[in-house]
Amino acid sequence: MRIHHLNCTTLCPPGGRLADGRKGFKGPAALTCHCLLVEGPRGLILVDTGFGLEDVKHPRPRLAPMFLDVLTRPRLNEGSTAIRQIERMGFRAEDVRDIVLTHLDFDHAGGLDDFPHARVHLLSDEYQSAFAQATPLDRRRYRPLQWMNETQWVTYPSGGDGGRWFGFECVRDLTGLPPEILLVPLPGHTLGHAGVAIQDGSGWLLHAGDAYFYHGEMAPDRYRCTPVLRAYQKLMQKDGYLRWHNMRRLRELVQRHGRDVTVFCAHDSLEFELLEERERSPDLDSPLRHFVDAQPPLHV
Ligand SMILES: [Zn+2]
């Protein structure tokens, strides 16, 4: 299966390099909304959607002012939406038959409306949290205007009798999807948060969503994160213990199986650039193993 890396809108939070950790980078911080487009045997599969056309046209009231104006400041534009990027590749909206979501936060689910023919796969805990709208923060992060028209939900329990994948519990046999795509529960950031594992010819990719935010958090020697992203993750976590527990498990996965599994998150721009480069030059040898050692991030 061919896999494409898409940045479906850049986030520009305040803090410059105190947020994105890019040394020598002037101006606002730049974080990606890293999505995947998979050319599957029965149609296209999108992993997360980033922001969509309706977010660009009607950012208010679709997005909460606290995220739109202060904390994430997305650089909304039509050309960055998944639908327009997919069209530029020569496909049509109806070619996308399935969307697999890491979670339902506003910066991952805004494009659902643009793919009315797609089924939407996610963990049932996430579906229930988003619909419950239980806290003021939930009402700002989960935006019903982005998904109230969605009818083709396919939900999966987090626990139970799923399979195992590199020591993680996982959901195998996603309805109608190839067996090379798995949902890997990684709760913490949200209660139904999951990674999405995909096997291609050269190994496994794990899209870890918002289980971590900064590549230094996966560094082999010691944990590193920028102060802004530390604070943001703490603010957004639904369960701090589970978030740290799963981050430690991901670090172990990188250390033990980094040759077999390429782990990346949704918002780290350096990871995105390296994986996009690998997409263009597939012979490059697992760049994420190298950058962890080669690029000392901002020490905090
Ligand atoms: Zn996010």
Side-chain angles (χ1 to χ4, degrees):
M1 293 188 297
R2 193 158 171 215
I3 300 171
H4 307 274
H5 296 267
L6 312 177
N7 174 18
C8 299
T9 300
T10 298
L11 306 175
C12 305
R17 71 190 185 97
L18 293 175
D20 64 15
R22 302 298 293 268
K23 283 189 173 170
F25 183 79
K26 291 198 168 58
L31 305 180
T32 52
C33 290
H34 193 154
C35 305
L36 301 176
L37 181 70
V38 184
E39 295 185 38
R42 287 189 289 274
L44 300 177
I45 302 152
L46 190 57
V47 177
D48 279 356
T49 72
F51 294 90
L53 291 176
E54 286 300 311
D55 296 320
V56 176
K57 280 188 216 153
H58 308 291
R60 295 168 215 277
R62 277 176 68 98
L63 304 169
M66 127 184 207
F67 293 109
L68 187 60
D69 302 324
V70 184
L71 292 179
T72 61
R73 302 193 301 199
R75 197 182 292 152
L76 295 167
N77 67 94
E78 192 175 326
S80 294
T81 59
I83 178 64
R84 292 293 181 251
Q85 294 194 60
I86 287 168
E87 286 169 352
R88 286 200 295 275
M89 295 161 75
F91 301 113
R92 299 164 304 164
E94 51 266 42
D95 296 330
V96 176
R97 309 302 301 180
D98 294 279
I99 295 171
V100 187
L101 290 178
T102 60
H103 61 305
L104 266 170
D105 272 353
F106 65 97
D107 51 330
H108 299 256
L112 290 176
D113 280 343
D114 299 332
F115 304 99
H117 299 88
R119 294 174 304 172
V120 181
H121 306 257
L122 77 171
L123 292 183
S124 53
D125 287 347
E126 188 66 11
Y127 177 88
Q128 284 164 13
S129 292
F131 277 77
Q133 301 269 295
T135 68
L137 180 60
D138 284 355
R139 291 191 280 281
R140 290 173 172 85
R141 74 191 305 168
Y142 294 130
R143 304 300 283 175
L145 285 173
Q146 292 181 321
W147 33 261
M148 61 195 289
N149 296 323
E150 183 60 54
T151 57
Q152 301 189 72
W153 300 102
V154 189
T155 62
Y156 304 88
S158 312
D161 52 1
R164 303 286 290 178
W165 179 82
F166 291 100
F168 289 80
E169 285 189 353
C170 71
V171 179
R172 292 190 180 271
D173 302 326
L174 294 176
T175 308
L177 289 178
E180 295 89 357
I181 300 186
L182 311 172
L183 262 177
V184 182
L186 297 172
H189 178 72
T190 62
L191 296 177
H193 183 278
V196 182
I198 305 173
Q199 190 175 30
D200 70 357
S202 56
W204 285 94
L205 284 180
L206 177 65
H207 188 317
D210 288 3
Y212 72 100
F213 270 62
Y214 183 63
H215 59 268
E217 295 179 281
M218 293 294 115
D221 49 352
R222 75 176 176 88
Y223 172 91
R224 302 181 190 95
C225 189
T226 64
V228 169
L229 293 182
R230 259 181 212 249
Y232 186 77
Q233 291 185 85
K234 192 165 181 195
L235 170 75
M236 299 298 283
Q237 70 191 17
K238 292 297 288 183
D239 186 320
Y241 171 79
L242 284 177
R243 181 170 76 81
W244 281 98
H245 173 67
N246 281 316
M247 191 149 50
R248 274 194 288 273
R249 294 169 79 208
L250 289 173
R251 283 168 63 86
E252 279 175 32
L253 177 68
V254 170
Q255 283 174 30
R256 289 190 193 161
H257 301 288
R259 290 244 151 241
D260 305 312
V261 186
T262 298
V263 179
F264 60 95
C265 66
H267 298 305
D268 187 287
S269 58
L270 182 60
E271 289 181 345
F272 179 81
E273 286 167 19
L274 290 166
L275 285 165
E276 204 188 24
E277 192 183 326
R278 189 165 81 171
E279 183 187 335
R280 285 195 300 269
S281 314
D283 295 337
L284 283 179
D285 177 35
S286 189
L288 291 188
R289 288 297 294 167
H290 301 290
F291 88 80
V292 166
D293 302 325
Q295 302 230 4
L298 189 68
H299 286 249
V300 289

